[in-house]
């Protein structure tokens, strides 16, 4: 094991250097694969491209003076419950202002999801925070997917970190990981599609018209109280929006709840919303935020089928209209 | 010293850069000359290196947290000062030694056991005893310091007795690769190396060290951390298969996690020219429970043998039964403040006693291995399940025959999503291959890591570690002990 190379009188640990170079080369190849070929990253990068187009076309700057009412734009921020569940044209039909769906994937982590939205917030906007409750009620670690999408879309600023160590950590996330490798191998062997969603499902305004279906959407899992992390995040969102002359509100995404869990679920939501409401206004009556009708959901409890997404978005638009009127009256 | 974190390696790199700059700036006369080892210049240069090593270690401890560094300094200075005073005969030996031990373990007792003893055993209801986190590595360096005092004051050989210089002692007590999770070293093995320590580049040492670091990171990042994503105990279940699966996952995770740390420490030690002890010798291939404890956390087992079992009389008192049970009870308490840890220690003590008693019965190797592993993995339930209500409920499940029915097996299978099943199967396959390689290395070469040291295998491990390590940062489990 201790073979060394003698070059001009200096001994070098040849094998260690080979192992180091091999590791670096593997890391480089992993990063290249992750950014350009990883099916999940490719899909989400395409989703972001769609949203960027919507952001460019939906810009209508307000004059520097004057009260921003009604809002100039409505931005929805969250994970895939927003990506799949918020159909911008249906909300726009109710509000009459540009609506942009900035939903991506909950796996990117709450910090990255909110930062990408905050980067776009301007004076007069209303930012609807619709993060899935588990992102705010359960301890969150740094997300590999968040780093991967940030780099793949050329937006490392979403990571919101500046120290060299932070950059090192986020770059080290550009790897596939065991889950991806094993499941990819399984899909290749079983000749299944490499990813369950297809970029062709992405529509204008940043909405995904989901095609996948599952036999059992599962149950939404989250705790009932905000974590300190969650509380800090919502407070920061509020502060940044206040500074920019925008408004932030929370909206619980529509989701599936099995009938057997309804009473526990209702109680949990009520406590969760109470916590959130101490920091942000909350949109609409919470009892209408879940459904026990399995047929309305696609492959997870947070993904409504397209028709349900359109209907639900229309209802959300109407709730927002009421909220905006209330704000207007208050002001 | 979280070898699994990029931050640690960046901090170490920055520290070594600072060391290089200081060495270059000071440029002691004669540092590069051919002067004799005993020359004053050589001595001064060596001393500078030893101060720099101490500074590097302390800096890395501060990087972990100021409390961690402060508690370490307290324990180390109390040990050194107390041992010196007792060695000079300024205090009566017996009470003096007792007082020194009390002072040495007081931070450990406060931070680790204060809440358990005060609020759970004595029911005092004192919030002040609840500490947010235990200073990292406190159990390890406290035991290492205690062994130093014992060996110095009670050493049978005169050569053991002289007090080292303070700097040498601080480097012995706080050598950064092993301070937070062992191996727990003795003064006879580590102190002489610290007295002769110098920063010097040796290609052979780097090669030796890299071998261990590659294995350690593969164990920790590729196997331990990925298994930890599926090891989520804490639920009451009616399926015995689920309990066994959690026991299996936890047992494998803690092994790859802790062995991974120990091997990294060994490797980093070699990079600095320091040889540390091997802490794990493929324990999951042991054919009996006594053998298991000779191969699991070797330096802690030896510590308990030398400083608890033998002073209690060893085999001479009650044929070793009481000392052995005390050792395992203390070992349980050392691992954590909770009834579950005490029970875990007791169960292992009883298993070792049972093996001693039935020692005359010769079992087939495979049957012996299966029985040993059944006992060890059953006992892990007591280790990870800190909620005693859940613990006893799941223990009841394990001994209930209906809990092994096909429905219960289906419950286990359906608890994992299809993707998770594939990943779990893949990870268990990898751990199986690793354990077989350990077994083959141990049997054929007397070194469980023999095959992992082969260069092609090292290359495969490097690639797998880079590709498969999960992004989530998982602290080493033993940091909490």
């Amino acid at each position: 094991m201790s073979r060394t190379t003698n070059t001009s009188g200096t001994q070098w640990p040849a094998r260690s250097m080979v192992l180091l170079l091999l590791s670096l080369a593997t890391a480089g190849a992993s990063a290249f694969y992750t950014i350009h070929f990883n099916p999940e990253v490719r899909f989400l990068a395409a989703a972001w491209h769609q949203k960027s187009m919507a952001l460019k076309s939906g810009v209508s700057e307000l004059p520097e003076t004057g009260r921003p009412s009604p809002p100039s734009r409505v931005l929805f921020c969250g994970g895939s419950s927003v990506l799949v569940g918020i159909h911008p044209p249906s909300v726009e039909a109710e509000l009459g202002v540009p609506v942009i769906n900035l939903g991506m994937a909950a796996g990117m982590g709450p910090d990255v999801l909110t930062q990408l939205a905050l980067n776009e917030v301007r004076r007069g906007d209303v930012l609807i925070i619709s993060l899935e409750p588990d992102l705010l009620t359960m301890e969150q670690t740094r997300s590999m997917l968040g780093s991967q999408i940030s780099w793949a879309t050329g937006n490392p600023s979403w990571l919101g970190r500046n120290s060299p160590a932070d950059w090192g950590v986020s770059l080290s996330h550009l790897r596939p990981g065991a889950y991806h490798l094993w499941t990819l191998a399984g899909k290749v062997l079983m000749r299944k599609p490499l990813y369950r969603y297809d970029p062709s499902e992405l529509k204008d305004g940043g909405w995904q018209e989901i095609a996948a279906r599952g036999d059992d959407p599962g149950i939404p899992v989250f705790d009932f109280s905000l974590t300190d992390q969650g509380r800090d995040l919502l407070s920061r969102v509020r502060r940044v929006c206040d500074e920019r002359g925008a408004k932030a509100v929370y909206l619980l995404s529509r989701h599936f709840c099995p009938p057997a869990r309804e009473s526990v679920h209702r109680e949990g939501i009520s406590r969760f919303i109470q916590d959130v409401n101490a920091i942000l206004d909350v949109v609409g009556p919470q009892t209408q935020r879940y459904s026990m009708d399995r047929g309305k959901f696609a492959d997870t409890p947070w993904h409504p089928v397209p028709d349900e997404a359109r209907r639900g978005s229309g209802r959300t638009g109407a709730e927002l209209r009421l909220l905006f009127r209330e704000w207007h009256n208050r002001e | 010293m979280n070898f699994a974190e990029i931050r640690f390696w960046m901090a170490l790199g920055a520290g070594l850069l600072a060391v290089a700059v200081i060495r270059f700036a000071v440029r002691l006369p004669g540092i590069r000359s051919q002067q004799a080892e005993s020359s004053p210049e050589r001595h001064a240069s060596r001393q500078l290196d030893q101060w720099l090593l101490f500074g590097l270690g302390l800096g890395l401890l501060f990087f972990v947290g100021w409390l961690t560094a402060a508690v370490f300094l307290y324990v180390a200075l109390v040990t050194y000062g107390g041992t010196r005073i007792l060695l000079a005969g300024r205090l009566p030996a017996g009470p003096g030694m007792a007082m020194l031990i009390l002072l040495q373990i007081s931070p450990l007792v406060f931070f680790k056991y204060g809440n358990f003893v005060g609020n759970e055993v004595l029911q005092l209801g004192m919030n002040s005893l609840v500490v947010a986190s235990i200073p990292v590595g406190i159990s390890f360096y406290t035991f290492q310091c205690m062994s130093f005092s014992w060996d110095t004051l009670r050493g049978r050989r005169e050569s053991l007795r002289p007090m080292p210089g303070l700097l040498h002692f601080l480097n012995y007590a706080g050598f950064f690769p092993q301070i937070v999770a062992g191996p727990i070293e003795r003064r006879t093995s580590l102190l002489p190396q610290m007295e002769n320590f110098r920063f010097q580049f040796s290609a052979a040492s780097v090669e030796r060290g890299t071998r261990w670091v590659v294995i350690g990171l593969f164990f920790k990042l590729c196997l331990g951390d990925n298994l930890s994503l599926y090891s989520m105990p804490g639920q009451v279940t009616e399926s015995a298969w689920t309990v066994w699966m959690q026991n299996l996952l936890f047992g494998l995770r803690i092994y790859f996690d802790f062995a991974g740390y120990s091997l990294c420490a060994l490797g980093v030690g070699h990079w600095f020219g320091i040889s540390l002890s091997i802490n794990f010798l493929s324990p999951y291939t042991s054919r009996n429970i006594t053998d298991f404890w000779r191969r699991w956390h070797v330096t802690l087992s030896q510590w308990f043998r030398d400083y608890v079992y033998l002073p209690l009389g060893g085999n001479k008192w009650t044929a070793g039964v009481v000392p052995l049970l005390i050792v395992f009870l203390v070992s349980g308490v050392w691992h954590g403040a909770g009834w579950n840890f005490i029970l875990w220690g007791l169960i292992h003590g009883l298993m070792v006693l049972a093996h001693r008693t039935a020692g005359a019965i010769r079992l087939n190797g495979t049957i012996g291995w299966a029985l040993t592993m059944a006992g060890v993995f059953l006992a892990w339930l007591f280790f990870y399940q800190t909620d005693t209500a859940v613990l006893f409920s799941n223990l009841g499940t394990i001994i209930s025959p209906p809990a092994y029915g096909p429905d219960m097996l289906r419950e286990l299978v359906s608890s994992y999503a299809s993707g998770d099943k594939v990943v779990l199967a893949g990870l268990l396959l990898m751990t199986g291959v690793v354990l077989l390689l350990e077994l083959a290395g141990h049997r054929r070469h007397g070194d469980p890591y023999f095959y992992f040291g082969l260069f092609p295998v090292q290359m495969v491990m490097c690639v797998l570690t880079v590709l498969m390590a999960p992004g989530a940062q998982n602290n080493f489990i033993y940091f909490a002990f």
Side-chain angles (χ1 to χ4, degrees):
Chain A
M1 267 315 293
S2 53
R3 181 190 292 179
T4 52
T5 303
N6 194 327
T7 311
S8 312
T10 308
Q11 284 209 318
W12 292 99
R15 289 189 164 182
S16 298
M17 288 163 72
V18 169
L19 291 174
L20 179 64
L21 288 174
L22 178 67
S23 301
L24 290 174
T26 308
S30 297
F32 188 77
Y33 164 81
T34 301
I35 288 175
H36 296 285
F37 297 107
N38 180 317
E40 186 178 16
V41 174
R42 282 184 71 176
F43 173 80
L44 289 168
W48 179 250
H49 177 71
Q50 208 83 9
K51 292 164 202 302
S52 307
M53 306 290 281
L55 282 164
K56 279 179 193 149
S57 61
V59 175
S60 53
E61 287 276 8
L62 283 183
E64 280 302 309
T65 56
R67 222 166 249 293
S69 178
S72 57
R73 292 184 309 179
V74 175
L75 310 177
F76 281 86
C77 155
S80 61
S81 67
V82 172
L83 174 67
V84 171
I86 297 295
H87 179 242
S90 302
V91 187
E92 276 174 5
E94 292 287 339
L95 297 177
V97 294
V99 173
I100 299 157
N101 178 332
L102 295 178
M104 295 288 276
M108 289 167 62
D111 290 340
V112 171
L113 290 173
T114 45
Q115 192 56 49
L116 76 85
L118 287 175
N119 281 2
E120 305 301 333
V121 168
R122 296 171 187 183
R123 188 168 172 280
D125 286 346
V126 171
L127 177 63
I128 317 270
I129 298 291
S130 201
L131 293 168
E132 290 82 343
D134 56 301
L135 296 178
L136 298 168
T137 60
M138 296 161 106
E139 283 305 317
Q140 301 293 315
T141 53
R142 287 177 187 187
S143 152
M144 255 175 115
L145 186 62
S147 300
Q148 291 170 352
I149 305 297
S150 305
W151 286 105
T153 57
N155 290 293
S157 64
W158 291 349
L159 299 168
R161 301 167 188 136
N162 297 314
S163 78
D166 290 331
W167 288 114
V169 170
S170 76
L171 283 170
S172 77
H173 285 168
L174 300 180
R175 294 175 298 103
Y179 185 90
H180 178 76
L181 280 181
W182 284 110
T183 51
L184 191 71
K187 285 169 186 168
V188 169
L189 285 174
M190 296 168 79
R191 300 186 177 193
K192 283 189 169 180
L194 296 184
Y195 192 53
R196 58 192 159 149
Y197 307 135
D198 190 89
S200 65
E201 296 169 17
L202 297 165
K203 307 296 174 195
D204 287 347
W207 177 59
Q208 181 191 354
E209 187 170 17
I210 193 165
R213 295 291 181 274
D215 296 334
D216 176 13
I219 51 172
V221 178
F222 57 92
D223 288 338
F224 298 158
S225 306
L226 288 179
T227 56
D228 289 344
Q229 262 180 324
R231 206 165 272 124
D232 290 348
L233 183 79
L234 293 181
S235 304
R236 192 168 72 84
V237 166
R238 185 185 173 138
R239 195 179 60 247
V240 172
C241 286
D242 284 350
E243 284 166 7
R244 296 199 193 152
K247 285 200 163 170
V249 293
Y250 183 81
L251 170 79
L252 179 62
S253 295
R254 289 175 201 281
H255 57 278
F256 170 67
C257 168
R261 290 176 56 93
E262 205 254 340
S263 60
V264 177
H265 193 69
R266 188 170 0 103
E267 165 71 15
I269 285 183
S270 157
R271 282 165 57 186
F272 167 71
I273 290 296
Q274 207 176 346
D275 260 16
V276 173
N277 210 192
I279 304 166
L280 293 178
D281 281 347
V282 177
V283 183
Q286 301 315 311
T287 47
Q288 291 173 21
R289 293 279 154 224
Y290 61 86
S291 163
M292 290 178 281
D293 181 352
R294 161 78 191 85
K296 290 180 177 172
F297 293 87
D299 58 337
T300 82
W302 297 99
H303 293 171
V305 293
D307 282 347
E308 180 58 19
R310 288 190 190 92
R311 274 195 297 273
S313 299
R315 288 198 295 272
T316 299
E319 289 163 0
L320 283 171
R321 187 155 36 82
L322 285 176
L323 181 72
F324 295 164
R325 192 177 300 157
E326 193 185 313
W327 284 350
H328 184 73
N329 292 340
R330 223 188 288 164
E331 284 164 4
Chain B
M1 314 309 138
N2 191 343
F3 301 124
E5 269 200 334
I6 282 190
R7 285 168 190 279
F8 164 76
W9 294 105
M10 293 174 89
L12 178 61
L16 287 174
L17 191 65
V19 165
V21 168
I22 293 170
R23 287 181 103 233
F24 180 77
V26 173
R27 285 182 78 89
L28 286 173
I31 205 163
R32 287 170 179 276
S33 71
Q34 301 298 315
Q35 283 157 317
E37 275 298 313
S38 56
S39 68
E41 290 83 1
R42 283 275 178 179
H43 177 72
S45 117
R46 193 161 48 230
Q47 205 160 39
L48 171 71
D49 279 355
Q50 289 165 0
W51 275 113
L52 289 173
L53 178 67
F54 172 65
L56 179 66
L58 198 63
L60 289 170
L61 267 188
F62 267 107
F63 184 70
V64 175
W66 69 268
L67 185 66
T68 299
V71 174
F72 162 71
L73 279 176
Y74 164 82
V75 174
L77 292 174
V78 158
T79 299
Y80 187 80
T83 309
R84 190 161 205 131
I85 289 168
L86 288 176
L87 197 64
R90 288 180 209 156
L91 282 173
M97 186 75 182
M99 190 184 293
L100 175 58
I101 290 173
L102 209 62
L103 287 170
Q104 285 171 320
I105 64 169
S106 55
L108 181 66
V109 170
F110 173 75
F111 285 107
K112 198 164 169 179
Y113 306 109
N115 182 41
F116 175 67
V117 174
N119 293 333
E120 285 199 37
V121 180
L122 302 176
Q123 304 279 319
L124 297 177
M126 291 170 68
N127 281 337
S128 57
L129 291 175
V130 181
V131 290
S133 60
I134 300 168
V136 174
I138 188 168
S139 307
F140 290 91
Y141 59 73
T142 300
F143 269 38
Q144 186 159 313
C145 284
M146 287 167 75
S147 82
F148 170 83
S149 298
W150 185 274
D151 286 350
T152 305
L153 296 168
R154 299 287 171 96
R156 290 186 187 145
R157 281 179 290 148
E158 278 303 309
S159 60
L160 276 181
R161 301 198 63 172
M163 280 297 284
L166 177 61
L167 179 59
H168 297 145
F169 171 76
L170 288 172
N171 278 330
Y172 154 81
F175 184 48
F176 73 88
Q178 48 97 223
I179 185 172
V180 296
I184 301 168
E185 295 290 346
R186 308 294 178 83
R187 67 169 284 173
T188 43
S189 59
L190 188 55
L191 191 60
Q193 297 187 73
M194 288 305 166
E195 286 169 340
N196 292 308
F197 176 81
R198 290 195 65 176
F199 281 105
Q200 51 193 356
F201 177 78
S202 153
S205 296
V206 171
E207 297 284 52
R208 267 197 300 276
T210 302
R211 172 190 197 256
W212 294 115
V213 170
V214 167
I215 305 171
L217 289 179
F218 173 72
F219 274 24
K220 163 68 180 164
L221 293 171
C222 192
L223 299 177
D225 281 359
N226 276 312
L227 286 166
S228 78
L229 301 175
Y230 296 93
S231 167
M232 285 175 285
Q235 304 285 324
V236 171
T237 174
E238 290 175 2
S239 164
W241 302 104
T242 302
V243 182
W244 277 111
M245 180 56 112
Q246 283 305 327
N247 290 6
L248 175 71
L249 291 175
F250 181 82
L252 290 173
R253 180 209 171 180
I254 196 170
Y255 168 61
F256 288 115
D257 188 281
F258 193 15
Y261 179 91
S262 300
L263 295 172
C264 284
L266 194 66
V268 175
H270 275 302
W271 284 347
F272 284 78
I274 301 292
S275 292
L276 299 174
S277 307
I278 290 188
N279 234 354
F280 289 88
L281 294 163
S282 189
Y284 285 151
T285 59
S286 308
R287 291 177 176 194
N288 62 62
I289 193 71
T290 308
D291 194 31
F292 175 84
W293 278 107
R294 282 193 202 110
R295 303 208 220 163
W296 178 276
H297 203 171
V298 174
T299 55
L300 182 70
S301 299
Q302 290 172 347
W303 195 98
F304 279 122
R305 181 197 65 200
D306 293 346
Y307 302 110
V308 181
Y309 185 76
L310 292 177
L312 284 174
N315 291 335
K316 291 176 200 155
W317 182 35
T318 63
V321 171
V322 175
L324 193 125
L325 284 177
I326 291 174
V327 160
F328 276 98
L329 275 178
V330 176
S331 171
V333 172
W334 182 89
H335 280 88
W339 296 111
N340 61 307
F341 290 108
I342 294 171
L343 287 171
W344 175 78
L346 190 64
I347 285 169
H348 270 284
L350 291 173
M351 286 197 292
V352 173
L353 271 182
H355 175 249
R356 271 195 190 181
T357 312
I361 303 170
R362 308 298 299 174
L363 287 174
N364 169 288
T366 310
I367 295 173
W369 171 80
L371 282 175
T372 305
M373 290 307 112
V376 168
F377 280 92
L378 171 68
W380 283 129
L381 173 65
F382 292 83
F383 195 94
Y384 69 71
Q385 196 53 265
T386 51
D387 182 332
T388 42
V390 180
L391 166 60
F392 285 113
S393 171
N394 285 350
L395 188 63
T397 300
I398 270 191
I399 57 173
S400 156
Y404 289 89
D407 285 355
M408 298 299 158
L409 185 57
R410 268 194 292 276
E411 185 187 310
L412 167 68
V413 174
S414 64
S415 67
Y416 295 104
S418 57
D420 289 331
K421 281 177 203 150
V422 173
V423 180
L424 202 47
L427 287 173
L428 290 175
L429 182 73
M430 282 172 74
T431 57
V433 171
V434 166
L435 293 178
L436 283 174
L437 283 175
E438 284 187 4
L439 179 66
H442 188 69
R443 285 230 184 124
R444 292 185 191 164
H445 304 278
D447 172 10
Y449 303 108
F450 176 83
Y451 292 108
F452 299 99
L454 300 177
F455 192 58
V457 179
Q458 293 252 301
M459 292 173 80
V460 171
M461 286 192 295
C462 279
V463 171
L464 289 178
T465 304
V466 172
L467 291 179
M468 289 197 175
Q473 298 295 337
N474 275 313
N475 269 341
F476 288 91
I477 296 178
Y478 267 70
F479 280 11
F481 296 152

